[in-house]
Amino acid sequence: MPSPLYNTASIADMRLRARRRLPRAVFDFIDGAAADELTRMANEAGFARGRLSPRVAVDVSRIDTSVDILGFRSALPLMLAPTGLAGFYWPDGEIAAARAAAKAGIPFCLSTNSVASLEAVAGAVPSVKRWFQLYMLKDRALMWDMVERAEAHGYDTLCLTLDLAVQGRRDRDIRSGFTVPMKLSSASIADFAMRPRWLWGALRRPVAFGNFASVKGLGALSVAQFVGTLFDPTVDWAQVAEVRKRWRGPMVIKGILNPDDARRCVELGAQGVIVSNHGGRQLDQVPASIEALPQIADAVAGRAAVYLDGGVRRGTDLIKARALGADACLIGRPFLWGLSAAGEPGVDRVIDIFREELAIALALLGHPVFSAIRGDILVP
Amino acid sequence: MPSPLYNTASIADMRLRARRRLPRAVFDFIDGAAADELTRMANEAGFARGRLSPRVAVDVSRIDTSVDILGFRSALPLMLAPTGLAGFYWPDGEIAAARAAAKAGIPFCLSTNSVASLEAVAGAVPSVKRWFQLYMLKDRALMWDMVERAEAHGYDTLCLTLDLAVQGRRDRDIRSGFTVPMKLSSASIADFAMRPRWLWGALRRPVAFGNFASVKGLGALSVAQFVGTLFDPTVDWAQVAEVRKRWRGPMVIKGILNPDDARRCVELGAQGVIVSNHGGRQLDQVPASIEALPQIADAVAGRAAVYLDGGVRRGTDLIKARALGADACLIGRPFLWGLSAAGEPGVDRVIDIFREELAIALALLGHPVFSAIRGDILVP
Amino acid sequence: MPSPLYNTASIADMRLRARRRLPRAVFDFIDGAAADELTRMANEAGFARGRLSPRVAVDVSRIDTSVDILGFRSALPLMLAPTGLAGFYWPDGEIAAARAAAKAGIPFCLSTNSVASLEAVAGAVPSVKRWFQLYMLKDRALMWDMVERAEAHGYDTLCLTLDLAVQGRRDRDIRSGFTVPMKLSSASIADFAMRPRWLWGALRRPVAFGNFASVKGLGALSVAQFVGTLFDPTVDWAQVAEVRKRWRGPMVIKGILNPDDARRCVELGAQGVIVSNHGGRQLDQVPASIEALPQIADAVAGRAAVYLDGGVRRGTDLIKARALGADACLIGRPFLWGLSAAGEPGVDRVIDIFREELAIALALLGHPVFSAIRGDILVP
Amino acid sequence: MPSPLYNTASIADMRLRARRRLPRAVFDFIDGAAADELTRMANEAGFARGRLSPRVAVDVSRIDTSVDILGFRSALPLMLAPTGLAGFYWPDGEIAAARAAAKAGIPFCLSTNSVASLEAVAGAVPSVKRWFQLYMLKDRALMWDMVERAEAHGYDTLCLTLDLAVQGRRDRDIRSGFTVPMKLSSASIADFAMRPRWLWGALRRPVAFGNFASVKGLGALSVAQFVGTLFDPTVDWAQVAEVRKRWRGPMVIKGILNPDDARRCVELGAQGVIVSNHGGRQLDQVPASIEALPQIADAVAGRAAVYLDGGVRRGTDLIKARALGADACLIGRPFLWGLSAAGEPGVDRVIDIFREELAIALALLGHPVFSAIRGDILVP
């Protein structure tokens, strides 16, 4: 793929490339969030607060960006977050992303709602460190089957997501009438005229949810209808505990914003929590991830790992999250922008940008070892 | 009415639909406010502050959005606020709005300054839970007559509005020369060219103030002239107390921003106060409603109900108002936008949007019962 | 003058009318300020902070906007500030403004740098309550002569301005090359094409500084050159005290931003101080007038009157200034905008707007008597 | 050079002139900074906070703007900062800037990365007070040779820069593919069409790094490649101390943002520190210079001089920096804008603007002597 990505300087640049390539309704599905998108914006804006205090005259010729993630030595404090429908933006998108993660030496987390099935991803990229993300499904038999398939195919960490009891109300998607598969009416004439290749490919490609192959009669649904049909809104802590009991590997709980919930996760045996507001896509006006982080790190108090997603766009964001208590971060939209813009090389470039930005930041801060970063790197 | 309102995702979207349909001067009369409109903007912006703290792993399969409003079980913590001239924006606008409220199971408050008379509304929509809003009129005989007619026609709650001793100075209306009925000179050529149907209907329709049918010689007046002619600027608490004595049902006092005034209302026997700055339309630079709410809730201290209007645009706004001490909220501009955009289905859609947003927010907050919301749902 | 000013709703509207009528360089001379104009903007923005707390159920049928200004019962807490060159923007501009002030029953302060001489203004508008504003001139003989002429012609209060030791650096004027009289090169072709009447009148009109008729050889000067030639940068408090001794009537000192300077003014016998940063035209980054007011009112502690100019644009601004310790306010740019837009009727309209806004605000605040306003009208 | 610079009122104006003259990629190299450029913007915005408190009735007929800079009586509290590549923007740019500094009586600091060699500058402008800025080079023999040449040619102060262990990641330069010498592909067609003279001159001119004449094989490199090839990332305090020992004159350390680092500088015998974030060009999200200044001034506690660069654009900025603890300021971009816009007269004008703004500010503050400014000039 000869795309001139070398002068795509930042994640924000990659977003613009994705915007040029995708039909508006599809771009908006990735980019948008709930209601006024205040939380989505706060996720990013929160990282612009706080100042890093650099030290000079430190030997920074050897930079170490690696961290331990539940026993795996990740080359970067970065994971690819579970995101639905990656294969809708680019053919075999989940596999492309998993390949990029494998090359970079970082974990990849497959979504319940992927286009490629978990078997297909594991088969195509056996070397990737892989997590499986689980939603609580109304059909528990289907759910436990999916869990067993994940275990059987080498997904060694389970990422249970709890912030999708119902689907958030995303105004952009309501306006565009976005469904999966996409209806022609959701794409404007301009979309057709300007992006014939994308539409041709997407309309021909039978988009299905690979992990739900056994479920019949899922036609063109809005995401809200999909969630309402399949996901279970009655989940309580007892049922979460049951998942913890049945899964043998490490389990991480995603979607935590409240310190008391974080404590519950630890108490029932979770190995980690992911501070997340689902990229602001579920409920607007909840705290930005980086704002919620310090209290949750305090509540967890080292008894489990703490991860964060939401608004991570720069190498310095990884450092700030670390300073405030996160062991590593996940990125969702950034890698989808790379994927949508240019497929696997686009995801490669996204990870490269984080790696370069992080390494240079560590050098210029006079803190060559990422895992040694502490809160005192922030100006009080 | 086949308007495709399903993709009108939010109240803000509905406002844009109304803007396309109404002549500029009419839209500005609804949308505008006093002076620099800082208070109007602060009403909305005030709701964007404060963060909601969601809980996960709570069974949210049964959502209850209902509240008690002075003995009436309202399906939502929402009422249609008294607004003048609804029938000017859409034929029989007050009746259309009352019908939408009846279907939704929420109260409707008719304005003194309605186009349809209180008898006409009660006759057309006998099932709606209805309040009557009263201004203190110079002509007390006329006023008491109006009060008796209201009682006779099933308006069981009186909403006495005290923030209109004189009319606020609304710059947009001064600029456009807005009057009722509208003079041709207030509509631009573009208005004519783009909205022929609206103008044709409005100019033919004899707009009158239905409740003032007995008052002669009200020609084309600005709203300020109308208020100056009819409303009484000498009102004091003794006269408010007299209204309280003569009205047999519950009485609510609207337009309260000062905690001492709220205490006076309670002491003279009001069943509720409405924290309101008249949508920022009276005096600019007074507090936003949501800013004034906590102190007033403290002053009332449970001895009466506390309601709020001003800036309510989202389901989460209802939750924040509740968390800060309001029993329910009223909406003015939002339902007028729906009415102006599409008549009764437009108001239906506005209430639907609030219902959907509220229900989803309660689910995602892990607080399925609205009336159980407390201040601790706000991040400290 | 048949200009349709009735729909000029606000001072901001009047500014736009002036902008349409004046050549750019002239408008910029009025509108502009020093450097980045941060202080100019802060003057206005400062009034947008702080909230007024309204009371209801108060008899507001009788509104009293009058105040005592050094023994004169002014109909409004408002004065026309000394501004140079009013006669440059409109023929006989100073006389037009003085007439408007006389009709409105408020004081008018003539600038040292007026186009019309002090004799001409007094002769044309003998009924106006008039102050004379004085700069300390290098040529003391000329200065004392001017002072005596002022006294002889009924200017009973002397307003000594101390913030013009040198002229501030006003970037817009440097860019446009603005001089008085105006050079043709400072007006663009567009100015000529769009405002032929203004330019024709201005270029024919011999603009001179009426009070400096005896000074020879003042050609086309920038204001900075004018100030540098005539004004005295060596003034100290001893010389201020000397002015105080020689002037028999009340003396007010203008340009005070520092509380210690305010104390000095009181100690040497000034009857008042004017908190002012010269409309932000002298030094950028000094405090906004309304920000500096409270400390100065504290320092003066009732021993002299406190006035304010800078950023006063709304009736509510007069109330906020009062609440923070000012006895009355002066307006500069607002009346020059009215004058430039429409001559005397323009100034009339500007004063009318303040009167209407103030009266309505007092009514809606439930405080019918302006002079009874105290600090408790502000929300804490 | 007949450029009409007299109406270039401010440094911001000069920036716009430079933008019109330079190809986009070159302008962006000067103007741009790291990542989102938040620190670059904060540098400037930081000076817009804090208010100056003016005093009146002070004799300001004699203004003294001079300060002592390590034994040199500088006419202004201002130095020309070391900036690479000045000769790339204008033929013999370093010499032009040095001449302007000499005329103005202020120090000039030559960058290691200048186009003109240190010998050429010293030969052309022997009268200028000159500093030499040093980066720690991997090739220590080359470095010590450069240091000896500097000493031999009258550079009496060494300015050791420590914030360039690696090159920061400047997104604009990555996007444009900027290299030195410039590749044709980095200039757009529009650049060619609109700025033929600049390109013709720049492409013919063999741009080389004068002080590195002995280094072979430096082709068209990005600045990051240049830095990576030549600069030493292993520097520690012991090596800094060695430089201090071998250099006989005063030594100033540049790039300090952390108070502990400032203390280290003082302890190893530096005569001064320069609070600097390299104009925001190295690491984004570090503190603005003016924000970091007070703590560093406290840490140094008078034991060494404290200078500042970053965001200095106005005469009042020099006063604020002084009030917060800086002895003088350096300007980088401002003089490069003047140089790029108009060569030596452009730099003259930039220094003139600072001189005029500073003198007028001192007069209007009632503080005629710059060196007597203390922290109490800021409003608390």
Side-chain angles (χ1 to χ4, degrees):
Chain A
M1 164 98 217
S3 285
L5 294 171
Y6 66 86
N7 64 357
T8 300
S10 64
I11 301 304
D13 286 7
M14 192 63 87
R15 176 177 173 271
L16 296 182
R17 291 185 79 93
R19 188 162 68 175
R20 283 195 294 271
R21 190 179 166 279
L22 293 172
R24 171 82 183 260
V26 179
F27 177 77
D28 275 349
F29 176 68
I30 298 176
D31 207 55
D36 297 307
E37 310 193 359
L38 298 176
T39 293
R40 176 186 64 74
M41 291 183 273
N43 276 347
E44 294 194 21
F47 278 109
R49 281 194 289 273
R51 293 283 164 260
L52 297 165
S53 187
R55 307 301 302 260
V56 294
V58 175
D59 179 349
V60 293
S61 53
R62 260 177 299 266
I63 298 295
D64 180 359
T65 60
S66 71
V67 291
D68 175 86
I69 295 182
L70 299 178
F72 174 75
R73 196 73 200 171
S74 179
L76 294 169
L78 195 70
M79 295 180 262
L80 299 194
T83 59
L85 291 175
F88 181 57
Y89 314 129
W90 194 271
D92 291 326
E94 288 88 2
I95 293 170
R99 279 204 181 103
K103 281 180 283 180
I106 65 174
F108 169 81
C109 184
L110 187 73
S111 168
T112 295
N113 301 335
S114 57
V115 172
S117 68
L118 62 89
E119 290 85 356
V121 174
V125 202
S127 66
V128 73
K129 172 70 178 182
R130 54 194 177 277
W131 293 16
F132 183 71
Q133 180 262 351
L134 183 73
Y135 287 114
M136 298 294 284
L137 303 179
K138 289 179 179 172
D139 182 344
R140 284 293 203 280
L142 173 62
M143 185 183 90
W144 292 125
D145 175 62
M146 214 181 273
V147 167
E148 278 164 32
R149 286 155 55 203
E151 188 173 12
H153 288 82
Y155 295 82
D156 55 20
T157 302
L158 190 71
C159 171
L160 180 68
T161 303
L162 291 183
D163 60 7
L164 219 97
V166 300
Q167 162 87 355
R169 215 166 170 283
R170 300 174 194 170
D171 290 6
R172 293 200 217 182
D173 298 345
I174 296 171
R175 272 183 218 118
S176 71
F178 181 75
T179 57
V180 179
M182 202 170 161
K183 285 177 293 190
L184 278 179
S185 61
S186 293
S188 70
I189 298 291
D191 283 335
F192 271 107
M194 295 173 62
R195 300 173 188 88
R197 227 164 354 161
W198 194 93
L199 281 170
W200 180 242
L203 294 172
R204 281 194 326 166
R205 201 151 61 229
V207 173
F209 293 91
N211 297 323
F212 291 94
S214 63
V215 181
K216 300 301 170 204
L218 294 174
L221 294 179
S222 72
V223 180
Q225 292 167 322
F226 179 85
V227 167
T229 304
L230 297 170
F231 291 15
D232 182 1
T234 71
V235 176
D236 59 21
W237 287 111
Q239 293 163 45
V240 174
E242 192 188 344
V243 177
R244 175 57 294 193
K245 260 176 226 145
R246 287 178 66 159
W247 174 262
R248 279 178 221 127
M251 184 172 112
V252 167
I253 299 180
K254 180 166 178 283
I256 302 301
L257 291 172
N258 185 296
D260 289 333
D261 283 355
R263 270 183 217 103
R264 289 294 286 266
C265 293
V266 173
E267 285 159 15
L268 63 74
Q271 277 66 41
V273 297
I274 302 180
V275 179
S276 172
N277 47 41
H278 218 103
R281 297 162 77 84
Q282 284 293 86
L283 182 61
D284 203 19
Q285 308 243 11
V286 301
S289 300
I290 191 72
E291 292 169 6
L293 173 61
Q295 284 193 308
I296 291 179
D298 278 356
V300 169
R303 296 174 291 161
V306 176
Y307 306 113
L308 173 145
D309 76 7
V312 178
R313 303 288 179 269
R314 290 282 182 190
T316 44
D317 295 347
L318 301 173
I319 294 172
K320 288 187 169 179
R322 177 77 181 190
L324 294 170
D327 294 284
C329 293
L330 297 90
I331 49 170
R333 288 185 186 92
F335 94 79
L336 293 181
W337 291 328
L339 182 70
S340 302
E344 185 179 324
V347 185
D348 290 340
R349 180 66 182 153
V350 163
I351 301 173
D352 279 351
I353 289 170
F354 275 104
R355 182 192 298 112
E356 288 174 27
E357 289 188 350
L358 178 60
I360 287 176
L362 293 173
L364 293 175
L365 287 168
H367 284 265
V369 179
F370 177 83
S371 59
I373 297 280
R374 296 290 172 266
D376 61 4
I377 205 163
L378 293 169
V379 175
Chain B
M1 165 101 218
S3 284
L5 293 171
Y6 66 86
N7 65 356
T8 300
S10 65
I11 301 304
D13 286 7
M14 193 64 86
R15 176 176 172 272
L16 296 182
R17 290 185 80 92
R19 188 162 68 174
R20 283 195 293 271
R21 190 180 165 278
L22 293 172
R24 171 81 182 261
V26 179
F27 177 77
D28 275 349
F29 176 68
I30 298 176
D31 208 55
D36 296 308
E37 310 194 357
L38 298 176
T39 293
R40 177 186 64 73
M41 291 183 272
N43 275 348
E44 294 194 21
F47 279 108
R49 280 194 289 274
R51 293 283 165 259
L52 297 165
S53 186
R55 308 301 300 262
V56 295
V58 174
D59 179 349
V60 293
S61 53
R62 261 177 296 266
I63 298 294
D64 180 0
T65 61
S66 70
V67 291
D68 175 85
I69 295 182
L70 299 178
F72 174 76
R73 195 72 201 170
S74 179
L76 294 169
L78 195 71
M79 295 180 261
L80 299 195
T83 60
L85 290 176
F88 182 57
Y89 314 129
W90 194 269
D92 291 325
E94 288 88 1
I95 293 170
R99 280 204 181 103
K103 281 180 284 181
I106 65 173
F108 169 80
C109 184
L110 186 73
S111 169
T112 295
N113 301 335
S114 57
V115 172
S117 68
L118 62 89
E119 290 85 357
V121 174
V125 201
S127 66
V128 75
K129 172 70 177 182
R130 54 193 177 278
W131 293 15
F132 183 72
Q133 179 262 352
L134 183 73
Y135 286 114
M136 297 294 284
L137 303 179
K138 289 180 179 171
D139 182 344
R140 285 293 203 280
L142 173 63
M143 184 181 92
W144 293 124
D145 176 62
M146 214 182 273
V147 166
E148 280 164 31
R149 286 155 56 201
E151 189 173 11
H153 287 82
Y155 294 82
D156 55 19
T157 301
L158 190 72
C159 171
L160 181 68
T161 302
L162 291 184
D163 60 6
L164 219 97
V166 300
Q167 161 88 355
R169 214 166 171 285
R170 300 174 193 169
D171 290 7
R172 293 201 217 181
D173 299 345
I174 296 172
R175 270 182 220 119
S176 70
F178 181 74
T179 57
V180 179
M182 202 170 162
K183 285 176 294 189
L184 279 179
S185 61
S186 293
S188 70
I189 298 291
D191 283 335
F192 271 107
M194 295 173 62
R195 300 172 187 89
R197 227 166 351 162
W198 193 94
L199 282 170
W200 180 242
L203 293 172
R204 282 195 323 168
R205 203 151 60 227
V207 173
F209 293 91
N211 297 324
F212 290 95
S214 63
V215 181
K216 299 302 168 204
L218 294 174
L221 295 178
S222 72
V223 179
Q225 291 167 322
F226 179 85
V227 168
T229 303
L230 297 170
F231 290 15
D232 182 1
T234 72
V235 177
D236 60 21
W237 287 112
Q239 293 163 44
V240 174
E242 193 189 342
V243 177
R244 174 57 294 192
K245 261 176 226 146
R246 286 180 65 159
W247 175 263
R248 280 179 220 126
M251 185 172 111
V252 167
I253 298 180
K254 180 165 178 283
I256 302 302
L257 290 171
N258 186 296
D260 290 332
D261 283 354
R263 270 184 216 102
R264 287 295 286 265
C265 294
V266 173
E267 285 159 15
L268 63 75
Q271 277 66 41
V273 297
I274 302 180
V275 180
S276 173
N277 47 41
H278 217 104
R281 297 162 77 83
Q282 284 293 86
L283 183 62
D284 203 20
Q285 308 243 10
V286 301
S289 299
I290 191 73
E291 292 169 6
L293 174 60
Q295 284 194 307
I296 291 179
D298 278 357
V300 169
R303 295 174 291 162
V306 176
Y307 306 113
L308 174 145
D309 77 6
V312 177
R313 303 288 179 268
R314 288 283 182 190
T316 44
D317 295 346
L318 301 173
I319 295 172
K320 288 188 170 180
R322 177 78 182 190
L324 294 170
D327 293 284
C329 292
L330 298 90
I331 49 170
R333 288 186 186 92
F335 94 80
L336 293 180
W337 291 328
L339 182 69
S340 302
E344 186 179 324
V347 185
D348 290 340
R349 179 67 181 152
V350 163
I351 301 172
D352 280 352
I353 289 170
F354 275 104
R355 183 191 298 113
E356 289 173 27
E357 289 188 349
L358 178 59
I360 287 176
L362 293 172
L364 293 175
L365 287 169
H367 285 266
V369 179
F370 177 83
S371 58
I373 296 280
R374 296 289 172 268
D376 60 4
I377 204 163
L378 293 170
V379 175
Chain C
M1 165 100 218
S3 284
L5 294 171
Y6 67 86
N7 64 356
T8 301
S10 65
I11 301 305
D13 286 7
M14 192 64 86
R15 176 176 173 272
L16 296 181
R17 291 185 78 93
R19 188 162 68 174
R20 283 196 294 270
R21 190 179 165 280
L22 294 171
R24 172 81 183 260
V26 179
F27 177 77
D28 275 349
F29 176 68
I30 298 176
D31 208 56
D36 296 308
E37 309 194 359
L38 299 176
T39 293
R40 177 185 65 72
M41 291 183 272
N43 276 346
E44 295 194 21
F47 279 108
R49 280 194 290 274
R51 293 284 165 259
L52 298 165
S53 187
R55 307 301 301 261
V56 294
V58 175
D59 179 350
V60 293
S61 53
R62 262 178 297 266
I63 298 294
D64 180 0
T65 60
S66 71
V67 291
D68 175 86
I69 296 182
L70 299 178
F72 173 75
R73 195 74 200 171
S74 179
L76 294 169
L78 195 71
M79 295 180 261
L80 299 195
T83 60
L85 289 175
F88 182 57
Y89 314 130
W90 193 270
D92 291 326
E94 288 87 2
I95 293 170
R99 280 205 180 103
K103 281 180 284 181
I106 64 173
F108 169 80
C109 184
L110 187 73
S111 169
T112 295
N113 300 336
S114 57
V115 171
S117 69
L118 62 90
E119 290 86 356
V121 174
V125 201
S127 65
V128 74
K129 171 70 177 183
R130 54 194 177 278
W131 293 16
F132 183 71
Q133 179 262 351
L134 183 72
Y135 287 114
M136 298 293 284
L137 303 179
K138 290 179 178 170
D139 181 344
R140 286 293 203 279
L142 173 61
M143 185 182 91
W144 294 124
D145 175 61
M146 214 181 272
V147 166
E148 280 164 31
R149 286 156 55 203
E151 189 173 12
H153 288 82
Y155 295 81
D156 55 19
T157 301
L158 191 70
C159 171
L160 181 68
T161 303
L162 292 183
D163 59 7
L164 219 97
V166 300
Q167 162 87 355
R169 215 165 170 286
R170 300 173 194 171
D171 291 6
R172 294 201 217 180
D173 298 345
I174 296 171
R175 272 182 219 119
S176 71
F178 181 74
T179 57
V180 180
M182 203 169 160
K183 285 177 293 189
L184 278 179
S185 61
S186 293
S188 70
I189 298 291
D191 283 335
F192 271 107
M194 295 173 62
R195 299 172 188 90
R197 226 165 353 160
W198 193 94
L199 281 171
W200 180 242
L203 294 172
R204 280 195 325 167
R205 202 152 59 228
V207 173
F209 293 91
N211 298 323
F212 290 95
S214 64
V215 180
K216 299 303 169 203
L218 295 174
L221 294 179
S222 73
V223 179
Q225 291 167 322
F226 178 86
V227 167
T229 304
L230 297 170
F231 291 15
D232 182 0
T234 72
V235 177
D236 58 22
W237 286 111
Q239 293 163 44
V240 174
E242 193 189 341
V243 177
R244 174 57 293 193
K245 260 177 226 147
R246 287 180 65 158
W247 176 262
R248 281 180 220 126
M251 186 172 113
V252 167
I253 298 179
K254 181 165 179 281
I256 301 301
L257 289 172
N258 186 296
D260 289 333
D261 283 355
R263 270 183 217 103
R264 287 296 285 267
C265 293
V266 173
E267 285 159 16
L268 63 75
Q271 277 66 41
V273 298
I274 302 179
V275 179
S276 171
N277 47 41
H278 218 104
R281 297 163 77 84
Q282 284 293 86
L283 183 61
D284 203 21
Q285 307 243 12
V286 300
S289 300
I290 192 71
E291 291 170 5
L293 174 61
Q295 285 194 308
I296 291 179
D298 278 357
V300 169
R303 295 174 290 161
V306 176
Y307 306 113
L308 173 145
D309 77 5
V312 177
R313 302 287 180 270
R314 289 280 182 192
T316 44
D317 295 346
L318 301 174
I319 294 172
K320 288 188 169 179
R322 177 78 180 189
L324 294 170
D327 294 282
C329 292
L330 297 91
I331 49 170
R333 289 186 186 93
F335 94 80
L336 293 180
W337 291 329
L339 183 70
S340 302
E344 186 179 323
V347 185
D348 290 339
R349 179 67 181 152
V350 163
I351 301 173
D352 280 352
I353 289 170
F354 275 104
R355 182 191 299 112
E356 289 173 27
E357 289 188 349
L358 178 59
I360 287 175
L362 293 173
L364 292 175
L365 287 169
H367 284 266
V369 179
F370 178 82
S371 59
I373 297 281
R374 296 289 173 268
D376 60 5
I377 205 163
L378 294 170
V379 175
Chain D
M1 164 101 219
S3 284
L5 293 171
Y6 66 87
N7 65 356
T8 301
S10 65
I11 301 305
D13 286 6
M14 193 64 87
R15 176 176 173 272
L16 296 181
R17 290 186 79 92
R19 189 162 67 174
R20 282 196 294 271
R21 190 179 166 280
L22 293 171
R24 171 80 183 260
V26 179
F27 177 77
D28 275 349
F29 176 68
I30 298 176
D31 208 55
D36 297 308
E37 308 193 358
L38 298 176
T39 293
R40 177 186 63 74
M41 291 183 273
N43 276 346
E44 294 194 22
F47 278 109
R49 280 194 290 273
R51 294 283 165 258
L52 297 165
S53 187
R55 307 301 301 260
V56 294
V58 174
D59 179 350
V60 293
S61 54
R62 263 177 296 266
I63 298 294
D64 180 359
T65 60
S66 71
V67 291
D68 175 86
I69 296 182
L70 299 178
F72 174 75
R73 196 72 200 170
S74 179
L76 294 168
L78 195 72
M79 296 180 261
L80 299 194
T83 60
L85 290 174
F88 181 58
Y89 314 130
W90 194 270
D92 291 325
E94 288 88 2
I95 292 169
R99 280 205 181 103
K103 282 180 283 180
I106 65 173
F108 169 81
C109 184
L110 187 73
S111 168
T112 295
N113 301 335
S114 57
V115 172
S117 69
L118 62 90
E119 289 85 355
V121 174
V125 202
S127 65
V128 74
K129 172 71 179 183
R130 55 194 177 276
W131 294 15
F132 183 71
Q133 180 262 350
L134 183 72
Y135 288 114
M136 298 294 284
L137 303 179
K138 290 181 179 171
D139 181 343
R140 284 294 202 281
L142 173 62
M143 184 182 92
W144 293 124
D145 175 63
M146 214 181 273
V147 166
E148 279 165 32
R149 286 156 54 203
E151 188 173 12
H153 289 82
Y155 295 81
D156 54 21
T157 302
L158 190 72
C159 170
L160 181 68
T161 302
L162 291 183
D163 59 7
L164 220 97
V166 301
Q167 162 87 355
R169 215 165 170 284
R170 300 173 194 170
D171 290 6
R172 294 200 217 181
D173 299 344
I174 296 171
R175 272 182 219 119
S176 71
F178 182 76
T179 56
V180 179
M182 201 171 162
K183 285 176 292 189
L184 278 180
S185 61
S186 294
S188 70
I189 298 291
D191 282 336
F192 271 107
M194 295 173 63
R195 300 173 188 87
R197 226 163 356 158
W198 193 93
L199 282 170
W200 181 242
L203 294 171
R204 281 195 325 167
R205 203 152 60 229
V207 173
F209 293 91
N211 298 323
F212 291 94
S214 64
V215 181
K216 299 302 169 203
L218 294 174
L221 294 179
S222 72
V223 180
Q225 291 167 321
F226 179 86
V227 168
T229 303
L230 297 170
F231 291 15
D232 182 0
T234 72
V235 176
D236 59 21
W237 287 112
Q239 293 162 46
V240 174
E242 192 189 344
V243 177
R244 174 57 294 193
K245 260 177 227 146
R246 286 179 64 160
W247 175 262
R248 281 179 219 124
M251 186 173 112
V252 167
I253 299 180
K254 180 166 179 283
I256 301 301
L257 290 172
N258 186 297
D260 289 333
D261 283 355
R263 269 182 217 103
R264 287 296 284 267
C265 293
V266 173
E267 285 159 16
L268 63 73
Q271 278 65 41
V273 298
I274 302 179
V275 180
S276 171
N277 48 41
H278 218 103
R281 297 163 78 83
Q282 285 293 86
L283 182 62
D284 203 20
Q285 308 243 11
V286 301
S289 300
I290 192 71
E291 292 169 6
L293 174 60
Q295 285 194 307
I296 291 179
D298 277 358
V300 169
R303 295 174 291 162
V306 176
Y307 306 112
L308 173 144
D309 76 6
V312 178
R313 303 288 179 268
R314 290 280 182 191
T316 45
D317 295 347
L318 301 173
I319 294 172
K320 288 188 170 180
R322 177 76 181 192
L324 294 170
D327 294 283
C329 293
L330 297 90
I331 49 170
R333 289 186 186 92
F335 94 79
L336 293 180
W337 291 328
L339 183 70
S340 302
E344 185 179 325
V347 185
D348 290 340
R349 179 68 182 151
V350 162
I351 301 173
D352 280 351
I353 289 170
F354 274 104
R355 183 192 298 112
E356 289 173 27
E357 288 188 350
L358 177 60
I360 287 176
L362 293 173
L364 293 175
L365 287 168
H367 284 267
V369 179
F370 177 83
S371 59
I373 297 279
R374 295 290 173 267
D376 60 5
I377 205 163
L378 294 169
V379 175

